[in-house]
Amino acid sequence: MKKIILILFLIGFILPSTAQMNRGMNRSGGLNDMSRYSKGDPQREKKDPVIETMKYLKEELSLDSFQEAAVKSYLLENIAESEKANAILINPEDKKTKFEELRKTFDEKTKSILRPDQIEKFTKLSEDAKGNKKSKKKKKKEEEN
């Protein structure tokens, strides 16, 4: 009788511990399943912002090869200057004004090589991007309150 009670007592401890262990061992369907966060997951891969921006602009503006090369060089210049300004400047207001100047310079250079119909599309895209940023800021402020 004592042996049966001892066996039931051990089974009572072993079964729950193995069930918990299976969930933590990266098996599919478990609560602690971390396999979806693996490095090979295409949703989590880092994308190059220059390449993504160029793909977008090329599709939206129908850039030819010369325009594409020029816009890419302007974009790389802009990113380099932005990184320098971000490293040097401490005051957020100074950074904001510098980034605004850099954006205006980029827009002017880009518009100088575009056709009139492309300039209209580019201006609209820029305005839409500004609007999206403002609406995101408003949403954040509303969530904080």
Side-chain angles (χ1 to χ4, degrees):
M1 185 69 163
K2 290 182 181 180
K3 289 182 182 181
I4 294 174
I5 294 175
L6 181 64
I7 290 173
L8 290 175
F9 184 73
L10 288 174
I11 291 174
F13 277 110
I14 292 172
L15 286 178
S17 65
T18 58
Q20 289 176 358
M21 189 172 110
N22 285 340
R23 277 185 269 156
M25 297 299 287
N26 205 11
R27 303 196 194 272
S28 62
L31 294 176
N32 295 331
D33 185 17
M34 297 299 288
S35 64
R36 64 178 170 249
Y37 300 114
S38 66
K39 291 181 181 180
D41 191 3
Q43 294 175 347
R44 292 216 161 253
E45 290 180 17
K46 291 185 179 181
K47 298 178 180 176
D48 185 12
V50 175
I51 293 172
E52 294 299 314
T53 303
M54 289 308 303
K55 282 181 187 176
Y56 179 73
L57 290 176
K58 185 175 181 180
E59 288 176 13
E60 293 294 321
L61 302 176
S62 303
L63 299 175
D64 62 25
S65 59
F66 168 74
Q67 291 172 328
E68 186 179 352
V71 170
K72 186 174 183 177
S73 69
Y74 300 153
L75 186 60
L76 291 171
E77 270 180 40
N78 191 9
I79 290 172
E81 289 295 322
S82 297
E83 289 173 353
K84 286 180 189 176
N86 198 26
I88 294 172
L89 300 174
I90 297 172
N91 186 356
E93 290 298 319
D94 293 341
K95 285 184 182 183
K96 185 177 178 180
T97 56
K98 181 64 175 178
F99 291 150
E100 187 67 24
E101 289 173 15
L102 290 172
R103 187 192 58 75
K104 286 180 183 178
T105 305
F106 173 74
D107 288 353
E108 290 170 5
K109 286 181 178 180
T110 303
K111 287 178 183 178
S112 71
I113 61 163
L114 296 177
R115 296 185 308 266
D117 62 316
Q118 291 174 322
I119 292 173
E120 289 177 24
K121 289 179 184 178
F122 183 74
T123 304
K124 187 177 181 205
L125 291 174
S126 296
E127 290 172 1
D128 289 347
K130 288 179 195 175
N132 288 339
K133 287 181 184 179
K134 289 179 181 178
S135 65
K136 285 180 184 179
K137 287 181 182 179
K138 286 180 184 178
K139 287 179 184 177
K140 284 183 182 180
K141 285 182 182 179
E142 289 174 1
E143 290 175 0
E144 289 175 0
N145 295 332

